[in-house]
Short mmCIF file of all heavy atoms in Angstrom, two decimals:
data_model
loop_
_atom_site.label_atom_id
_atom_site.label_comp_id
_atom_site.label_asym_id
_atom_site.label_seq_id
_atom_site.Cartn_x
_atom_site.Cartn_y
_atom_site.Cartn_z
N TYR F 416 -62.80 -4.71 -31.90
CA TYR F 416 -63.55 -3.68 -32.65
C TYR F 416 -62.63 -3.11 -33.81
O TYR F 416 -63.00 -2.62 -34.90
CB TYR F 416 -63.95 -2.57 -31.78
CG TYR F 416 -64.89 -1.48 -32.37
CD1 TYR F 416 -66.09 -1.85 -33.01
CD2 TYR F 416 -64.58 -0.17 -32.27
CE1 TYR F 416 -66.94 -0.86 -33.53
CE2 TYR F 416 -65.41 0.79 -32.75
CZ TYR F 416 -66.54 0.50 -33.43
OH TYR F 416 -67.42 1.42 -33.84
N PHE F 417 -61.33 -2.90 -33.42
CA PHE F 417 -60.32 -2.46 -34.31
C PHE F 417 -59.42 -3.54 -34.72
O PHE F 417 -59.28 -4.51 -34.20
CB PHE F 417 -59.56 -1.33 -33.74
CG PHE F 417 -60.41 -0.03 -33.38
CD1 PHE F 417 -60.79 0.19 -32.07
CD2 PHE F 417 -60.90 0.73 -34.42
CE1 PHE F 417 -61.48 1.18 -31.83
CE2 PHE F 417 -61.65 1.80 -33.99
CZ PHE F 417 -61.99 2.13 -32.74
N ILE F 426 -54.22 3.23 -32.54
CA ILE F 426 -55.09 3.50 -33.68
C ILE F 426 -54.89 5.06 -34.13
O ILE F 426 -54.46 5.81 -33.30
CB ILE F 426 -56.53 3.17 -33.65
CG1 ILE F 426 -57.20 4.03 -32.43
CG2 ILE F 426 -56.58 1.70 -33.36
CD1 ILE F 426 -58.62 3.82 -32.39
N ARG F 427 -55.15 5.35 -35.39
CA ARG F 427 -55.15 6.71 -35.88
C ARG F 427 -56.60 7.25 -36.02
O ARG F 427 -57.43 6.68 -36.62
CB ARG F 427 -54.41 6.78 -37.20
CG ARG F 427 -52.96 6.36 -37.15
CD ARG F 427 -52.39 6.18 -38.50
NE ARG F 427 -52.42 7.36 -39.23
CZ ARG F 427 -53.10 7.54 -40.43
NH1 ARG F 427 -53.87 6.70 -40.90
NH2 ARG F 427 -53.00 8.68 -41.04
N LEU F 428 -56.78 8.49 -35.48
CA LEU F 428 -58.20 9.11 -35.62
C LEU F 428 -58.00 10.33 -36.42
O LEU F 428 -57.11 11.19 -36.29
CB LEU F 428 -58.63 9.47 -34.13
CG LEU F 428 -58.75 8.41 -33.04
CD1 LEU F 428 -59.36 9.02 -31.85
CD2 LEU F 428 -59.41 7.15 -33.51
N ASP F 429 -59.13 10.49 -37.27
CA ASP F 429 -59.32 11.71 -37.91
C ASP F 429 -60.06 12.69 -37.05
O ASP F 429 -60.58 12.25 -36.01
CB ASP F 429 -60.15 11.41 -39.22
CG ASP F 429 -60.15 12.60 -40.20
OD1 ASP F 429 -59.31 13.46 -40.03
OD2 ASP F 429 -61.09 12.56 -40.99
N ILE F 430 -60.23 13.95 -37.48
CA ILE F 430 -61.12 14.86 -36.74
C ILE F 430 -62.31 15.13 -37.46
O ILE F 430 -62.39 15.38 -38.56
CB ILE F 430 -60.38 16.17 -36.42
CG1 ILE F 430 -59.13 16.01 -35.54
CG2 ILE F 430 -61.29 17.20 -35.78
CD1 ILE F 430 -58.32 17.22 -35.17
N ALA F 431 -63.49 14.74 -36.80
CA ALA F 431 -64.77 14.82 -37.50
C ALA F 431 -65.24 16.19 -37.84
O ALA F 431 -64.98 17.15 -37.20
CB ALA F 431 -65.80 14.11 -36.66
N PHE F 433 -68.61 16.93 -38.15
CA PHE F 433 -69.76 17.15 -37.34
C PHE F 433 -69.43 17.12 -35.83
O PHE F 433 -68.49 16.44 -35.41
CB PHE F 433 -70.85 16.12 -37.57
CG PHE F 433 -71.38 16.25 -39.09
CD1 PHE F 433 -71.09 15.40 -39.98
CD2 PHE F 433 -72.40 17.21 -39.18
CE1 PHE F 433 -71.64 15.63 -41.34
CE2 PHE F 433 -72.93 17.46 -40.51
CZ PHE F 433 -72.57 16.57 -41.45
N ARG F 434 -70.23 17.76 -35.07
CA ARG F 434 -69.96 17.91 -33.64
C ARG F 434 -71.08 17.31 -32.89
O ARG F 434 -72.19 17.20 -33.33
CB ARG F 434 -69.84 19.39 -33.21
CG ARG F 434 -68.68 20.03 -33.94
CD ARG F 434 -68.36 21.47 -33.45
NE ARG F 434 -67.18 22.12 -34.04
CZ ARG F 434 -66.74 23.24 -33.64
NH1 ARG F 434 -67.27 23.91 -32.71
NH2 ARG F 434 -65.65 23.64 -34.21
N ARG F 435 -70.79 16.90 -31.62
CA ARG F 435 -71.89 16.46 -30.68
C ARG F 435 -72.71 17.80 -30.47
O ARG F 435 -72.34 18.86 -30.22
CB ARG F 435 -71.31 15.99 -29.39
CG ARG F 435 -70.35 14.76 -29.53
CD ARG F 435 -70.89 13.62 -30.35
NE ARG F 435 -72.07 13.05 -30.02
CZ ARG F 435 -72.87 12.35 -30.66
NH1 ARG F 435 -72.60 12.02 -31.97
NH2 ARG F 435 -74.08 11.84 -30.23
N LEU F 450 -78.92 9.71 -32.64
CA LEU F 450 -77.77 10.49 -32.22
C LEU F 450 -76.44 9.91 -32.81
O LEU F 450 -75.49 10.45 -32.74
CB LEU F 450 -77.59 10.56 -30.66
CG LEU F 450 -78.55 11.39 -30.00
CD1 LEU F 450 -78.48 11.30 -28.58
CD2 LEU F 450 -78.56 12.89 -30.40
N TYR F 451 -76.54 8.72 -33.39
CA TYR F 451 -75.45 8.01 -34.10
C TYR F 451 -75.34 8.24 -35.48
O TYR F 451 -74.37 7.75 -36.21
CB TYR F 451 -75.49 6.59 -33.61
CG TYR F 451 -75.05 6.23 -32.34
CD1 TYR F 451 -75.84 6.39 -31.23
CD2 TYR F 451 -73.71 5.88 -32.03
CE1 TYR F 451 -75.47 6.26 -29.96
CE2 TYR F 451 -73.22 5.68 -30.71
CZ TYR F 451 -74.18 5.80 -29.66
OH TYR F 451 -73.85 5.64 -28.35
N ILE F 453 -74.50 11.01 -37.10
CA ILE F 453 -73.31 11.72 -37.41
C ILE F 453 -72.15 10.95 -37.06
O ILE F 453 -71.03 11.22 -37.73
CB ILE F 453 -73.33 13.13 -36.72
CG1 ILE F 453 -73.50 12.99 -35.26
CG2 ILE F 453 -74.32 14.05 -37.22
CD1 ILE F 453 -73.28 14.25 -34.47
N CYS F 454 -72.25 10.04 -36.25
CA CYS F 454 -71.11 9.15 -35.89
C CYS F 454 -70.80 8.18 -37.14
O CYS F 454 -69.61 8.05 -37.43
CB CYS F 454 -71.42 8.27 -34.69
SG CYS F 454 -71.72 9.24 -33.21
N THR F 455 -71.90 7.66 -37.80
CA THR F 455 -71.69 6.82 -38.91
C THR F 455 -70.99 7.62 -40.03
O THR F 455 -70.02 7.18 -40.71
CB THR F 455 -73.15 6.21 -39.34
OG1 THR F 455 -73.46 5.36 -38.36
CG2 THR F 455 -72.78 5.49 -40.66
N SER F 457 -69.21 10.30 -39.84
CA SER F 457 -67.77 10.60 -39.38
C SER F 457 -66.87 9.40 -39.46
O SER F 457 -65.65 9.67 -39.93
CB SER F 457 -67.74 11.23 -38.05
OG SER F 457 -68.61 12.35 -38.00
N LYS F 458 -67.24 8.33 -39.10
CA LYS F 458 -66.45 7.13 -39.08
C LYS F 458 -66.16 6.69 -40.58
O LYS F 458 -65.05 6.39 -40.95
CB LYS F 458 -66.98 5.99 -38.37
CG LYS F 458 -66.08 4.87 -38.13
CD LYS F 458 -66.57 3.81 -37.10
CE LYS F 458 -65.70 2.47 -37.10
NZ LYS F 458 -64.44 2.73 -36.66
N ALA F 461 -63.57 9.07 -42.14
CA ALA F 461 -62.34 8.68 -41.58
C ALA F 461 -61.70 7.44 -42.20
O ALA F 461 -60.56 7.44 -42.53
CB ALA F 461 -62.45 8.60 -40.05
N ALA F 467 -58.67 4.82 -38.33
CA ALA F 467 -59.55 3.82 -37.96
C ALA F 467 -60.96 4.40 -37.35
O ALA F 467 -61.93 3.77 -37.30
CB ALA F 467 -58.85 3.22 -36.74
N ASP F 468 -60.85 5.73 -36.95
CA ASP F 468 -62.04 6.29 -36.42
C ASP F 468 -61.86 7.77 -36.51
O ASP F 468 -60.95 8.32 -37.06
CB ASP F 468 -62.21 5.69 -34.98
CG ASP F 468 -63.72 5.96 -34.42
OD1 ASP F 468 -64.44 6.59 -35.09
OD2 ASP F 468 -63.97 5.24 -33.40
N ALA F 469 -62.82 8.47 -35.78
CA ALA F 469 -62.77 9.97 -35.82
C ALA F 469 -63.03 10.47 -34.45
O ALA F 469 -63.86 9.90 -33.66
CB ALA F 469 -63.79 10.59 -36.75
N LEU F 470 -62.35 11.55 -34.03
CA LEU F 470 -62.66 12.27 -32.78
C LEU F 470 -63.65 13.42 -33.12
O LEU F 470 -63.43 14.13 -34.08
CB LEU F 470 -61.38 12.77 -32.12
CG LEU F 470 -61.59 13.64 -30.96
CD1 LEU F 470 -61.70 12.64 -29.68
CD2 LEU F 470 -60.40 14.57 -30.64
N MET F 471 -64.64 13.49 -32.26
CA MET F 471 -65.65 14.62 -32.38
C MET F 471 -65.54 15.65 -31.32
O MET F 471 -65.22 15.34 -30.27
CB MET F 471 -67.06 13.91 -32.34
CG MET F 471 -67.31 12.83 -33.28
SD MET F 471 -68.95 12.20 -33.27
CE MET F 471 -69.79 13.33 -34.27
N PHE F 472 -65.72 16.87 -31.85
CA PHE F 472 -65.65 18.02 -30.81
C PHE F 472 -67.11 18.23 -30.45
O PHE F 472 -67.99 17.68 -31.09
CB PHE F 472 -65.15 19.31 -31.48
CG PHE F 472 -63.72 19.19 -31.93
CD1 PHE F 472 -63.19 20.03 -32.80
CD2 PHE F 472 -62.76 18.28 -31.28
CE1 PHE F 472 -61.89 19.94 -33.24
CE2 PHE F 472 -61.39 18.23 -31.60
CZ PHE F 472 -61.02 19.08 -32.67
N ASP F 473 -67.36 19.03 -29.43
CA ASP F 473 -68.82 19.32 -29.11
C ASP F 473 -69.22 20.59 -29.66
O ASP F 473 -68.39 21.21 -30.41
CB ASP F 473 -69.00 19.17 -27.47
CG ASP F 473 -68.32 20.38 -26.80
OD1 ASP F 473 -67.97 21.44 -27.45
OD2 ASP F 473 -68.09 20.35 -25.59
N VAL F 478 -63.10 19.17 -27.02
CA VAL F 478 -62.92 17.80 -27.41
C VAL F 478 -64.07 17.05 -26.65
O VAL F 478 -64.46 17.25 -25.50
CB VAL F 478 -61.62 17.21 -26.80
CG1 VAL F 478 -61.51 15.75 -26.95
CG2 VAL F 478 -60.52 17.87 -27.61
N ALA F 479 -64.72 16.13 -27.37
CA ALA F 479 -65.90 15.31 -26.87
C ALA F 479 -65.58 13.84 -26.74
O ALA F 479 -65.40 13.36 -25.59
CB ALA F 479 -67.17 15.59 -27.70
N GLU F 480 -65.55 13.05 -27.85
CA GLU F 480 -65.48 11.67 -27.74
C GLU F 480 -65.15 11.18 -29.29
O GLU F 480 -65.30 11.98 -30.22
CB GLU F 480 -66.81 11.10 -27.31
CG GLU F 480 -67.90 11.39 -28.11
CD GLU F 480 -69.30 10.74 -27.72
OE1 GLU F 480 -69.26 9.86 -26.91
OE2 GLU F 480 -70.33 11.01 -28.32
N ALA F 481 -64.83 9.93 -29.30
CA ALA F 481 -64.79 9.23 -30.68
C ALA F 481 -66.26 8.95 -31.10
O ALA F 481 -67.29 9.20 -30.36
CB ALA F 481 -64.01 8.05 -30.62
N THR F 482 -66.45 8.36 -32.28
CA THR F 482 -67.80 8.06 -32.70
C THR F 482 -68.52 6.99 -31.91
O THR F 482 -69.66 7.04 -31.94
CB THR F 482 -67.72 7.48 -34.21
OG1 THR F 482 -67.04 6.37 -34.26
CG2 THR F 482 -67.05 8.58 -35.11
N GLY F 483 -67.87 6.25 -31.14
CA GLY F 483 -68.63 5.32 -30.29
C GLY F 483 -67.81 4.94 -29.05
O GLY F 483 -67.95 3.91 -28.49
N ALA F 484 -66.96 5.88 -28.64
CA ALA F 484 -66.06 5.63 -27.31
C ALA F 484 -65.71 6.84 -26.73
O ALA F 484 -65.51 7.90 -27.45
CB ALA F 484 -64.86 4.75 -27.72
N ASN F 485 -65.48 6.85 -25.59
CA ASN F 485 -65.00 8.11 -24.80
C ASN F 485 -63.39 8.17 -24.80
O ASN F 485 -62.83 7.18 -25.27
CB ASN F 485 -65.36 8.08 -23.25
CG ASN F 485 -66.87 8.14 -23.15
OD1 ASN F 485 -67.54 7.17 -22.65
ND2 ASN F 485 -67.43 9.22 -23.41
N VAL F 486 -62.95 9.37 -24.58
CA VAL F 486 -61.47 9.49 -24.85
C VAL F 486 -60.83 9.89 -23.53
O VAL F 486 -61.39 10.75 -22.69
CB VAL F 486 -61.22 10.49 -25.93
CG1 VAL F 486 -61.82 11.92 -25.55
CG2 VAL F 486 -59.73 10.63 -26.42
N PHE F 487 -59.58 9.48 -23.31
CA PHE F 487 -58.72 9.97 -22.21
C PHE F 487 -57.41 10.38 -22.74
O PHE F 487 -56.86 9.68 -23.71
CB PHE F 487 -58.49 8.79 -21.21
CG PHE F 487 -59.74 8.45 -20.38
CD1 PHE F 487 -60.79 7.68 -21.02
CD2 PHE F 487 -59.82 8.83 -19.05
CE1 PHE F 487 -61.92 7.38 -20.22
CE2 PHE F 487 -60.98 8.56 -18.19
CZ PHE F 487 -62.02 7.73 -18.83
N PHE F 488 -56.81 11.35 -21.83
CA PHE F 488 -55.45 11.76 -22.37
C PHE F 488 -54.45 11.70 -21.10
O PHE F 488 -55.02 11.62 -19.89
CB PHE F 488 -55.43 13.19 -22.75
CG PHE F 488 -56.29 13.48 -24.00
CD1 PHE F 488 -57.55 13.85 -23.93
CD2 PHE F 488 -55.72 13.17 -25.23
CE1 PHE F 488 -58.25 14.11 -25.03
CE2 PHE F 488 -56.49 13.36 -26.35
CZ PHE F 488 -57.76 13.83 -26.29
N THR F 496 -59.88 13.75 -18.99
CA THR F 496 -60.93 13.28 -19.83
C THR F 496 -62.11 14.35 -19.96
O THR F 496 -62.28 15.15 -18.98
CB THR F 496 -61.51 12.06 -19.28
OG1 THR F 496 -62.49 11.40 -20.34
CG2 THR F 496 -62.28 12.19 -17.98
N PRO F 497 -62.65 14.54 -21.03
CA PRO F 497 -63.83 15.43 -21.20
C PRO F 497 -64.94 15.33 -20.16
O PRO F 497 -65.34 14.11 -20.00
CB PRO F 497 -64.19 15.42 -22.68
CG PRO F 497 -63.07 14.83 -23.31
CD PRO F 497 -62.45 13.83 -22.27
N PHE F 502 -72.64 14.55 -24.13
CA PHE F 502 -72.50 13.23 -24.72
C PHE F 502 -72.54 12.15 -23.65
O PHE F 502 -72.58 12.40 -22.61
CB PHE F 502 -71.11 13.11 -25.57
CG PHE F 502 -69.96 13.38 -24.73
CD1 PHE F 502 -69.26 12.48 -24.00
CD2 PHE F 502 -69.38 14.72 -24.75
CE1 PHE F 502 -68.09 12.69 -23.32
CE2 PHE F 502 -68.30 14.97 -23.96
CZ PHE F 502 -67.56 13.97 -23.22
N LEU F 503 -72.60 10.88 -24.15
CA LEU F 503 -72.82 9.80 -23.19
C LEU F 503 -71.74 9.56 -22.25
O LEU F 503 -70.56 9.49 -22.69
CB LEU F 503 -73.11 8.47 -24.05
CG LEU F 503 -73.99 7.51 -23.34
CD1 LEU F 503 -75.42 7.92 -23.21
CD2 LEU F 503 -73.95 6.23 -24.32
N CYS F 538 -52.81 8.82 -25.04
CA CYS F 538 -54.20 8.91 -25.35
C CYS F 538 -54.81 7.58 -25.65
O CYS F 538 -54.12 6.67 -26.20
CB CYS F 538 -54.40 9.74 -26.68
SG CYS F 538 -56.13 9.90 -27.12
N PHE F 539 -56.02 7.36 -25.16
CA PHE F 539 -56.72 6.13 -25.42
C PHE F 539 -58.21 6.34 -25.55
O PHE F 539 -58.61 7.33 -24.85
CB PHE F 539 -56.45 4.99 -24.40
CG PHE F 539 -56.84 5.28 -22.94
CD1 PHE F 539 -58.07 4.98 -22.58
CD2 PHE F 539 -55.87 5.82 -22.09
CE1 PHE F 539 -58.40 5.11 -21.19
CE2 PHE F 539 -56.20 6.02 -20.74
CZ PHE F 539 -57.48 5.69 -20.34
N ILE F 540 -58.92 5.52 -26.12
CA ILE F 540 -60.43 5.58 -26.11
C ILE F 540 -60.87 4.30 -25.42
O ILE F 540 -60.17 3.34 -25.29
CB ILE F 540 -60.95 5.70 -27.48
CG1 ILE F 540 -60.60 4.56 -28.45
CG2 ILE F 540 -60.58 7.03 -28.17
CD1 ILE F 540 -61.36 4.51 -29.78
N CYS F 541 -62.20 4.38 -25.02
CA CYS F 541 -62.75 3.24 -24.29
C CYS F 541 -64.23 3.22 -24.50
O CYS F 541 -64.92 4.17 -24.58
CB CYS F 541 -62.47 3.21 -22.72
SG CYS F 541 -63.36 4.65 -21.92
N GLY F 542 -64.75 2.04 -24.73
CA GLY F 542 -66.23 1.72 -24.90
C GLY F 542 -66.39 0.18 -24.79
O GLY F 542 -65.46 -0.58 -24.90
N ALA F 545 -65.07 -1.05 -28.16
CA ALA F 545 -63.65 -0.68 -28.30
C ALA F 545 -62.73 -1.25 -27.15
O ALA F 545 -61.52 -1.31 -27.27
CB ALA F 545 -63.44 0.78 -28.42
N THR F 548 -58.38 1.08 -26.00
CA THR F 548 -57.73 1.08 -27.09
C THR F 548 -56.72 2.23 -27.18
O THR F 548 -57.21 3.38 -27.25
CB THR F 548 -58.50 1.04 -28.36
OG1 THR F 548 -59.32 -0.26 -28.39
CG2 THR F 548 -57.66 1.05 -29.66
N VAL F 550 -54.30 5.16 -28.66
CA VAL F 550 -54.39 6.12 -29.77
C VAL F 550 -52.95 6.60 -30.11
O VAL F 550 -52.35 7.08 -29.13
CB VAL F 550 -55.40 7.11 -29.57
CG1 VAL F 550 -55.34 8.17 -30.73
CG2 VAL F 550 -56.85 6.54 -29.44
N ILE F 553 -54.19 11.74 -33.65
CA ILE F 553 -55.51 12.40 -33.77
C ILE F 553 -55.30 13.72 -34.69
O ILE F 553 -54.67 14.72 -34.22
CB ILE F 553 -56.14 12.83 -32.47
CG1 ILE F 553 -56.50 11.69 -31.57
CG2 ILE F 553 -57.47 13.65 -32.78
CD1 ILE F 553 -56.98 12.12 -30.25
#
Side-chain angles (χ1 to χ4, degrees):
Y416 186 57
F417 297 104
I426 62 170
R427 300 170 60 243
L428 307 185
D429 191 17
I430 295 177
F433 291 104
R434 298 184 175 190
R435 299 314 298 168
L450 291 174
Y451 283 80
I453 56 175
C454 298
T455 295
S457 299
K458 189 171 173 67
D468 203 344
L470 179 77
M471 306 184 79
F472 298 155
D473 71 17
V478 172
E480 60 177 350
T482 61
N485 294 117
V486 64
F487 287 78
F488 301 95
T496 191
F502 56 89
L503 208 63
C538 177
F539 64 87
I540 61 172
C541 68
T548 296
V550 173
I553 299 177

